[in-house]
Amino acid sequence: MFEFDQYLGFLAFLTILTIGFWLMIFLLTFVIPYWIGGSLIERLKEIKEEKKAKRQE
């Protein structure tokens, strides 16, 4: 059925595929929402500071 080299290649393919799958799941569920949420919070802080600076003038 499989020779040993083909078996190792198949295992390497499955390993890379699995690592890629879990990396995408991790990125889509944790990293990207964290990044977007943090950038929104920072933008809101900047807007508040701009309004505060305008009021003090």
Side-chain angles (χ1 to χ4, degrees), residues 22-36:
W22 287 113
L23 179 64
M24 287 298 291
I25 295 295
F26 174 71
L27 288 174
L28 289 174
T29 59
F30 179 72
V31 174
I32 293 176
Y34 181 77
W35 176 44
I36 292 172

Side-chain angles (χ1 to χ4, degrees), residues 41-51:
I41 290 171
E42 288 297 318
R43 183 64 184 137
L44 291 173
K45 284 181 185 177
E46 289 175 6
I47 291 171
K48 277 185 182 179
E49 288 175 5
E50 288 173 6
K51 286 182 182 178

